[in-house]
Each structure stands twice: as C-alpha cells, then as structure tokens.
Amino acid sequence: QVQLVESGGGRAQPGGSLTLSCAASGFSFNDNSMSWARQAPGKGVEWVAGIYSDGSGPHYSDSAEGRFTLSRDIARSTLTLQMDSLTPEDTALYFCATVRPGGPLYEFDNWGQGTLVTVSS
C-alpha cells in the first residue's frame, strides 16, 4: 500500500525558510516520478516541483523556480523540498505525490495528507 507522509510544515516569516520532507513506503520509490504540490486556502491544487524516475529534473513551477529546491534520497525513500525566500503567497497545504506512470509531473496517482505552511509576520 502506497504511503506518503509529509512533515516539516509550520509557520515562517516572509523571507524565511522551511524544509519539507516526504517519507515514502509501499512502492518502489526509485521507479516512480515524484512531485510536490500545494493547495492554498480557497484555491485549487497547484503543482510546485517534481522529478522523473530516471532522475531527469528537478523541474519547478514559475512560482517555485529560484526559491525552492527539490531533492530525493533513494536510499531513504525520501523526497525533500527546501523552500527559501518565502512569501505570504506560499501559504498552503503542501503534499507530495506519486506521478501517474508515463504522465507529466502534474498528474498525480497517490498523495499524502499534507503539511501546512503558513507564512506571515
């Protein structure tokens, strides 16, 4: 059974940083493309960043490019999102997801419960 457990969310000040982690289990982590996505209050799901199973990437949304860094640790089946230069617009529930096999990074198969990030002064 696929399990994705996110952690690391919390409150940060504008300009601050947070590191999110996703612990994956129940599937072959290195054979799956993975993504981070988010959902801000009252808005739809927004793809943030992802990496293909062959290691191609990471790739970022325009809003994440230059501020966020995605990495994966295959040995630990962990996906990490380092977020710097945070703004209030980054406030959202962040979740990691497996990508539909053969699909683009914004098409998800499974996702976790998410971790809440709040950016405010």
Side-chain angles (χ1 to χ4, degrees):
Q1 181 181 359
V2 174
Q3 280 199 317
L4 300 165
V5 180
E6 302 90 343
S7 62
R11 183 176 295 273
Q13 292 191 339
S17 300
L18 284 173
T19 302
L20 308 184
S21 293
C22 171
S25 61
F27 65 102
S28 180
F29 183 74
N30 56 308
D31 289 334
N32 275 261
S33 302
M34 299 289 298
S35 282
W36 281 98
R38 67 186 182 185
Q39 186 168 25
K43 296 189 177 181
V45 173
E46 176 191 11
W47 173 77
V48 174
I51 185 167
Y52 287 101
S53 57
D54 63 0
S56 171
H59 302 279
Y60 301 95
S61 67
D62 288 345
S63 62
E65 185 75 54
R67 301 188 300 127
F68 294 2
T69 303
L70 181 151
S71 60
R72 67 175 183 173
D73 185 333
I74 292 177
R76 298 184 178 184
S77 297
T78 300
L79 193 72
T80 300
L81 187 68
Q82 172 68 39
M83 306 189 298
D84 299 316
S85 303
L86 289 165
T87 74
E89 288 69 38
D90 295 316
T91 295
L93 182 69
Y94 285 73
F95 57 93
C96 69
T98 60
V99 174
R100 180 180 65 80
L105 293 174
Y106 52 81
E107 291 189 3
F108 312 137
D109 239 2
N110 304 278
W111 49 90
Q113 299 276 16
T115 186
L116 184 62
V117 171
T118 303
V119 184
S120 70
S121 54

